[in-house]
Amino acid sequence: MTEPAPTTASSLVRVDYHTFELADSDKRVPTGFDTSNGLVFSLPGQVVICTGISAGWVTVGVEVRRCPPERVDTDAWDEIVDHSVETTNGALRVASVMSDTPDLPVLTPQGSGTYRVRVHARGRDTAPDGAVDGPVEEYLLIVWPADRQPDQIHRQSGHYGAQLRAQPSRPAPPVPTTQGDDDIRRRMRKRLQRRRTP
């Protein structure tokens, strides 16, 4: 039996603090940066993708599958890492820390549990640490259900990724606890609830 065609989509995604995320709720836990693979790390319900730019927009494509892809396209990307992620409520989505949730499909349609995400990145050396108005970086996220496994590195050729891997893990930026922060969280919760409604 062949696998049904994967669900695919792409969108611009807002980056802040050198990251965008995959999240299954608006309740994010402040975390330090685990830079061991130079690209992605996670906690249950929250995945952090490390970007070269500090702020601006990146292009993100997603491919949601039932089975792992048969091959890895290493020629077109600077960095490719397979990473295990866990969703607690089965509704893991691409998310921005400080902006609207992008119009991309749920990455975990088989429900809560453990998945594998293959993160592809290119362009992180274009404007490292910069703030950009238009996208200079591109990401492809391929997701399928799978048991937890160690990270698998398929390609590491970017200078920015090498710099991250060379430095020790670092604490996350401080999370403000102002009224404005509460408003942002409330708006994100409403957006996520609207998207979950058929």
Side-chain angles (χ1 to χ4, degrees):
M1 187 171 102
T2 60
E3 180 185 12
T7 301
T8 60
S10 66
S11 177
L12 292 180
V13 174
R14 176 71 192 181
V15 164
D16 289 291
Y17 306 110
H18 278 282
T19 64
F20 68 93
E21 296 183 351
L22 314 181
D24 62 11
S25 79
D26 65 325
K27 296 180 180 176
R28 295 184 178 95
V29 177
T31 116
F33 274 55
D34 177 355
T35 56
S36 57
N37 67 40
L39 184 57
V40 56
F41 62 95
S42 65
L43 297 170
Q46 182 179 359
V47 182
V48 178
I49 313 275
C50 302
T51 62
I53 61 169
S54 62
W57 297 90
V58 296
T59 302
V60 177
V62 299
E63 184 176 311
V64 181
R65 306 176 59 93
R66 291 189 183 173
C67 300
E70 293 181 3
R71 65 180 204 88
V72 182
D73 180 12
T74 57
D75 293 337
W77 300 92
D78 301 327
E79 307 269 333
I80 306 172
V81 175
D82 288 1
H83 181 76
S84 291
V85 301
E86 182 182 342
T87 175
T88 53
N89 67 17
L92 198 69
R93 293 182 173 277
V94 176
S96 295
V97 177
M98 304 294 287
S99 186
D100 291 345
T101 302
D103 188 18
L104 290 168
V106 170
L107 303 175
T108 54
Q110 284 84 19
S112 61
T114 306
Y115 290 77
R116 198 76 165 156
V117 59
R118 179 169 295 163
V119 183
H120 304 69
R122 63 182 165 215
R124 295 196 303 168
D125 294 337
T126 305
D129 301 321
V132 299
D133 294 325
V136 297
E137 299 180 23
E138 188 173 354
Y139 297 82
L140 171 62
L141 312 174
I142 303 177
V143 183
W144 65 93
D147 292 336
R148 181 168 294 282
Q149 305 166 45
D151 288 352
Q152 182 174 1
I153 310 300
H154 295 287
R155 183 172 172 88
Q156 291 181 325
S157 64
H159 295 296
Y160 185 77
Q163 290 173 356
L164 287 181
R165 290 186 292 275
Q167 55 184 266
S169 296
R170 60 185 194 259
V175 176
T177 56
T178 64
Q179 180 65 34
D181 189 50
D182 291 340
D183 290 340
I184 289 169
R185 289 185 176 159
R186 194 170 18 262
R187 286 196 315 262
M188 289 183 74
R189 184 170 29 256
K190 286 180 183 176
R191 283 188 207 104
L192 286 169
Q193 288 169 346
R194 278 197 304 264
R195 290 196 183 277
R196 288 184 192 133
T197 305

